[in-house]
Structures are given as C-alpha cells and as structure tokens.
Amino acid sequence: MSVENLPSEIDTTTPSVARMYDLYLGGVENYDVDRQACAELDRIAPDCAPLARINRAFLARVVRTLVEEYGVTQIIDHGSGLPTQNNVHEIAQRINPDVRVVYVDNDPMVLAHGRTCLDENDNTAVLSMDMRDTAEIFDFAERKRLFRPGARTACLFISVLHCLKDSPDERDPAAVVHKVVQRLQPGDFLAISHLASEDPGFRQRVTDLMHELTQGSWGRVRSRAEIEEYFTGLDVLPPGIVDVRGWRPDPDQAGHDQQRLAWEEWGGVAQVPEA
Ligand SMILES: C[S@@+](CC[C@H](N)C(=O)[O-])C[C@H]1O[C@@H](n2cnc3c(N)ncnc32)[C@H](O)[C@@H]1O
C-alpha cells in the first residue's frame, strides 16, 4: 500500500512491530521508518530475520499438528500480524475446511490488509482489537458462531507476549493468558512463543531500544523461566517448552536451523487439564 493511499489511522512516522516483523519475513508492507528501526535493532540484536522465519515455521507446525493430530476446529490467533504466506486459516483449512479462525491484531495495517487476505471465507474473521480484551474477543467469536460449544479450541500467542508490558492488573501477559485459559475447556490448547535471552544485559538493551523505537508500544524480552511461568497449571505437550526450532521439527528441517543465534524464540504448546 503506497503512503498516499493509506487509511489515516496508519502512522508512517513511528515504526510498527507488525511492519518490522513483515520486513524481517521479507514482506513489502513496511515503510522507511520501519526499515531504519530494523537496521538499528540489528546493530544490537543480530539474528532478527532468522528468528522471524524460525518463529513462523513454528507457528505452521503448531497449527498443522493441532488440526491434524488433535482435532482442533476453532482458533484465536492473538497478535496475528500482517498477512503473509501460509496464514493460519490457510494451513488449517487445507487439512480441514471447517476450521474457523479469528485473527486479532491492534495494528491498523493488519486490518487494512487482513480484510482481503485473512477474512477470506465464512470461517475466518479479522478483529481490530487489543489482544488483552479477552471477554470481547470470545464474545465476538461466539456471537458470529465462529466459536461453537464443545468444539476443540486453540488459542495462539505466537511471538506477541513480549509486546506486552508487565503490569499489576489484568493487562499483564500472565493475567491475559490466565483469562484466556479460563474461557477454554479441558482438552483445549494454548500455544506460546516469546523472544528470550538468558543474558540480562542483552534483555535490557533490546527492551530499551524497542521502547525508544516504538514510542513505548512494546513490552520486554524475558528469560526462559519467565516464559515457562505462563504454562503453569497446564499439561505441556512433548517435547516441552523449548527453543521453538526443537518443537516437533519437520524431518527435512533436521540438520537445518542449528546455528547458534544471539537470542531465541522460546515456547511450546499445552493442553488445559481436566478440572
Ligand atoms: C512479531 S508480530 C507476530 C505475528 C504472528 N503472531 C507471527 O508469529 O507470525 C507481533 C504482532 O502482535 C501485534 N500486537 C502487539 N501488541 C498487541 C496488542 N496489545 N493487541 C493486539 N495485537 C498486538 C502486533 O501488531 C504484531 O502484528
């Protein structure tokens, strides 16, 4: 979308996380300001582009596994990002055309593009909403019959919780995950990946720069242990909470993606246990 034709709510003067991620994935829905921000981030945090690709491949394996092996038929993709290749509904509906997907993102560019690329059929919808508004998101999905009682459900938080700040209320990432789990049934699924580092200095430098670049629209790089806390009380599926490259890698992926990176996407998939 050229700058002249943009809806007025799209701000091309401040970098956006959605557009920076699009750039790292090789997309074209980004502006000079995003490209400059990525260049600055790359100076202190190498490997952003490989991490974006690794994360996207994890997302694809998670969706495929949940639909094919666990019979998931309804999905909320929190912080879905700009449409790209292999969007969640495309992966899921190739396996089962009846899978219903609700995409949620608060970046206006996602809505602008999502209307054509993501809201493709009666089984998909794009919600321009804050992913922390759990009640409104579930109410929408139920009202539109995208979520139906008793159907196996998955909620995705793929590379998004680091966009949320810690806060002492229900807007905190852990509290948001908890609210979502409360809306799920036993046997339903939650998938998370999150930018992580075990180096406190690195975490702080990246967090400070991302705050500066996005004018505060960001959260924090967290440690592996902090991310593992989000899975408390859930039954984590094998192979556990891992560098997502190691989460059920495709056979042709073995041997690839083994290089040492400056940081990682840490995550896994869990099931809501019987009460
Ligand atoms: C790094 S991208 C991840 C996209 C996608 N989940 C993936 O893994 O490919 C993070 C996305 O989260 C969105 N996001 C950040 N904070 C959000 C919030 N509070 N509510 C909804 N979306 C949010 C951003 O706009 C961006 O599109």
Side-chain angles (χ1 to χ4, degrees):
M1 212 179 259
S2 68
V3 173
E4 307 84 69
N5 298 328
L6 284 179
S8 58
E9 63 273 20
I10 295 178
D11 175 5
T12 57
T13 61
T14 307
S16 116
V17 173
R19 298 188 316 239
M20 288 174 71
Y21 184 68
D22 174 71
L23 179 67
Y24 283 128
L25 286 176
V28 294
E29 304 305 340
N30 46 75
Y31 301 102
D32 280 349
V33 72
D34 308 304
R35 295 188 272 276
Q36 283 160 19
C38 287
E40 274 196 62
L41 181 59
D42 290 339
R43 275 198 281 279
I44 67 157
D47 302 321
C48 294
L51 277 177
R53 286 195 300 274
I54 284 166
N55 180 65
R56 203 68 208 175
F58 168 67
L59 169 65
R61 295 197 303 283
V62 166
V63 172
R64 205 182 60 218
T65 304
L66 291 179
V67 174
E68 207 164 55
E69 295 181 28
Y70 293 92
V72 163
T73 56
Q74 45 196 31
I75 299 173
I76 296 179
D77 186 7
H78 292 89
S80 49
L82 281 157
T84 176
Q85 288 171 353
N86 257 341
N87 298 298
V88 166
H89 75 283
E90 292 165 334
I91 300 167
Q93 292 173 356
R94 268 199 295 272
I95 302 164
N96 175 0
D98 293 332
V99 176
R100 299 173 299 282
V101 178
V102 178
Y103 293 102
V104 181
D105 205 290
N106 64 355
D107 190 302
M109 190 102 164
V110 173
L111 184 67
H113 286 274
R115 281 214 179 100
T116 46
C117 304
L118 300 178
D119 196 357
E120 236 180 13
N121 55 52
D122 288 348
N123 284 344
T124 63
V126 182
L127 260 187
S128 186
M129 202 177 262
D130 195 301
M131 67 175 147
R132 291 168 289 193
D133 294 333
T134 305
E136 288 81 353
I137 295 167
F138 274 79
D139 290 350
F140 170 89
E142 286 162 10
R143 203 171 54 248
K144 296 285 181 190
R145 299 268 307 139
L146 290 161
F147 269 30
R148 298 173 194 164
R152 188 54 77 227
T153 304
C155 284
L156 313 179
F157 288 95
I158 305 298
S159 202
V160 292
L161 291 174
H162 46 247
C163 298
L164 300 184
K165 295 178 181 48
D166 303 316
S167 62
D169 53 21
E170 90 294 345
R171 313 295 277 173
D172 184 77
V176 174
V177 170
H178 181 71
K179 279 190 294 182
V180 166
V181 170
Q182 297 298 318
R183 296 294 297 244
L184 296 176
Q185 301 297 314
D188 287 343
F189 296 90
L190 180 82
I192 296 174
S193 64
H194 191 302
L195 285 168
S197 166
E198 294 302 275
D199 173 350
F202 181 88
R203 288 201 297 270
Q204 197 59 52
R205 285 191 296 281
V206 175
T207 298
D208 289 348
L209 179 61
M210 282 302 292
H211 274 277
E212 190 189 317
L213 291 172
T214 63
Q215 298 189 0
S217 293
W218 216 66
R220 188 157 79 75
V221 182
R222 295 187 171 89
S223 67
R224 292 174 177 180
E226 288 176 303
I227 297 157
E228 285 158 16
E229 286 276 313
Y230 300 145
F231 292 90
T232 302
L234 302 175
D235 294 338
V236 177
L237 300 187
I241 306 165
V242 294
D243 175 333
V244 300
R245 288 181 289 186
W247 196 90
R248 305 191 185 199
D250 289 327
D252 62 359
Q253 186 190 326
H256 294 288
D257 287 351
Q258 294 307 317
Q259 77 271 30
R260 208 177 146 68
L261 301 177
W263 46 337
E264 60 197 349
E265 285 277 2
W266 193 250
V269 180
Q271 199 162 21
V272 178
E274 294 297 331

